[in-house]
Amino acid sequence: MNTAGHPEATARRGLELTPFRGLRYDPDRVGSLAAVTSPPYDVVVRPDGLHHLQDSDPHNIVRLILPQAETPAARNEQAARTLHRWLSEGVLTTDSDPGLYVYEQRDGEGMLQRGVIGALRVSDPSEGLVLPHEDVMPHVVADRADLMRATSANLEPLLLTYRGNGTAADTTSVIERTIEGPPLLATTTEDGFSHRLWSITDAADLDRIQSDLTRRQALIADGHHRWATYRRLRAEHTSPSPWDFGLVLLVDTARYPLRVRAIHRLLHDVSVPDALAALDGLFRVRRLEAPLTEALATLADAACMGNAYLLAGDGAFHLVDQPDPDLLARTIPTDRPTAWRTLDATVLHATLLAHVWHIPEDDPTRIAYIHDTAATVEKAERDGGTAVLMHPVREDVVRDLARQGVTMPRKSTSFGPKPASGLVLRALDL
């Protein structure tokens, strides 16, 4: 009998996080560990940020996660060749013993995040073990799948969260005991974050973590496309297989809360005047003569009252709020909870993009999704497009919708800090 969707079977099985033999840079073979790391592939601002990372070190991980060549097939082949060359040259080495990895990030403003990196058994949303909260773009999943097939590797971990009991027990107790010892690596990246990594190989500690996680349910904080890729690749292989698992970082947000930030939109071929003209009579529009920080504060105040956005790209900021109720009634689907229907991302996608500006949300030639606020504005001003700046969604709203099985519009949230790519990789053929 298939019990995968049965709630009692799900509760008993829970999350299954397994040890693996990590691939890590040999610090003696690279300029510095900081110089070979990168933000996750979808956070790298292209082309400027990509070029900066490529120039920082010839072995920067961006050459694997965002290879550059004339065609997609050539890019993936290049990534596979690069990975194999780095392995043969000893730039990347394999840890001798399988283990889980404690990962710590800390900045100068008091932000501290700790979690465990391991290979998590891949599950479907219907099993209620790993909850997505955003839709995905099929072409991005196809692109990531092609890259993973070519390299036979998980090149960067997803960020998943769960809610523990908020005390130093179970997984957290193992983490906090592990960090008392010397780390495998320690580095500080140019964004000011320090990163440290330890391995957990003791059988008792591994069992304690697994026992704890069988009682947990995870939320995808960052990496929806890569999780969907894991699911696709698992389906392509006969189980049992290394593809039954995918590389993740699990963080207990009751112990180590994350930051939730917005992901902004860049409309490539729509100027600010044209975007504003289309809003006439549909939204209230106010020009703000203020710097970015003050404009964002005004956006935050407006977002407390209803849907609100900042448009930029012409040297000023324009607050867009108070949508026409009749417009919303005509454009917002009514078969979802109120919390979903009133999201800024829902109104942006269902109303502004689809009905006002007529921009397909999954056409990369028309729209880009950028995490960095200042970079979004700068690119809009340089290229003559329109930046649409968003206000972040609260984590409790995200989790509640995910538990109801309701996905938010794609790229609705940015949880962080995100794990740096390049600190530990997983090869599926080891």
Side-chain angles (χ1 to χ4, degrees), residues 281-282 324-334 350-351 355-356:
L282 302 177
D324 174 51
D326 291 336
L327 172 67
L328 298 184
R330 295 195 308 271
T331 58
I332 303 297
T334 59
T351 303
H355 290 274
V356 177

Side-chain angles (χ1 to χ4, degrees), residues 291-315:
L292 176 59
T293 53
E294 292 182 19
L296 290 173
T298 303
L299 172 63
D301 291 340
C304 293
M305 307 300 294
N307 301 118
Y309 315 88
L310 279 180
L311 269 57
D314 63 347

Side-chain angles (χ1 to χ4, degrees), residues 80-333:
R81 288 196 304 270
T82 300
L83 176 58
H84 293 151
R85 186 176 70 254
W86 290 355
L87 286 167
S88 65
E89 294 174 349
V91 173
L92 287 171
T93 61
T94 307
D95 285 339
S96 57
D97 297 317
L100 301 177
Y101 295 84
V102 173
Y103 177 45
E104 177 190 274
Q105 292 167 277
R106 188 192 296 266
D107 70 5
E109 300 174 0
M111 180 72 197
L112 172 63
Q113 176 176 288
R114 292 186 184 126
V116 180
I117 295 175
L120 184 69
R121 180 175 290 279
V122 177
S123 60
D124 294 323
S126 61
E127 298 176 66
L129 297 174
V130 176
L131 303 178
H133 70 267
E134 292 182 356
D135 294 330
V136 297
M137 292 175 269
H139 75 276
V140 177
V141 175
D143 174 74
R144 291 294 100 183
D146 289 342
L147 178 62
M148 287 190 203
R149 286 192 204 96
T151 58
S152 191
N154 299 152
L155 300 172
E156 47 185 348
L158 287 65
L159 175 60
L160 305 185
T161 72
Y162 67 97
R163 300 290 291 180
N165 56 15
T167 64
D170 301 317
T171 298
T172 301
S173 67
V174 177
I175 289 174
E176 297 185 356
R177 187 174 67 254
T178 300
I179 64 169
E180 294 175 358
L184 295 174
L185 63 85
T187 190
T188 300
T189 46
E190 62 180 20
D191 59 3
F193 270 92
S194 65
H195 307 261
R196 296 197 294 172
L197 193 77
W198 295 259
S199 65
I200 303 172
T201 57
D202 179 77
D205 285 341
L206 295 173
D207 287 345
R208 187 170 186 177
I209 290 173
Q210 185 53 60
S211 176
D212 178 29
L213 294 179
T214 58
R215 306 191 299 270
R216 308 302 180 192
Q217 179 187 59
L219 174 74
I220 302 176
D222 185 68
H224 283 81
H225 289 90
R226 283 167 286 165
W227 184 255
T229 301
Y230 290 168
R231 292 176 53 218
R232 174 180 292 193
L233 294 173
R234 178 196 60 174
E236 295 176 359
H237 295 80
T238 301
S239 185
S241 157
W243 298 95
D244 292 342
F245 298 83
L247 188 64
V248 306
L249 166 64
L250 269 173
V251 175
D252 177 2
T253 54
R255 187 72 172 174
Y256 301 106
L258 300 184
R259 291 172 177 157
V260 186
R261 291 176 172 159
I263 302 176
H264 310 295
R265 277 65 171 161
L266 175 63
L267 313 183
H268 290 304
D269 56 357
V270 179
S271 68
V272 174
D274 288 345
L276 294 174
L279 299 176
D280 187 35
L282 302 177
F283 284 74
R284 183 176 69 168
V285 178
R286 288 178 287 164
R287 182 184 177 96
L288 305 179
E289 298 294 344
L292 176 59
T293 53
E294 292 182 19
L296 290 173
T298 303
L299 172 63
D301 291 340
C304 293
M305 307 300 294
N307 301 118
Y309 315 88
L310 279 180
L311 269 57
D314 63 347
F317 295 100
H318 307 269
L319 181 66
V320 175
D321 64 354
Q322 297 188 10
D324 174 51
D326 291 336
L327 172 67
L328 298 184
R330 295 195 308 271
T331 58
I332 303 297

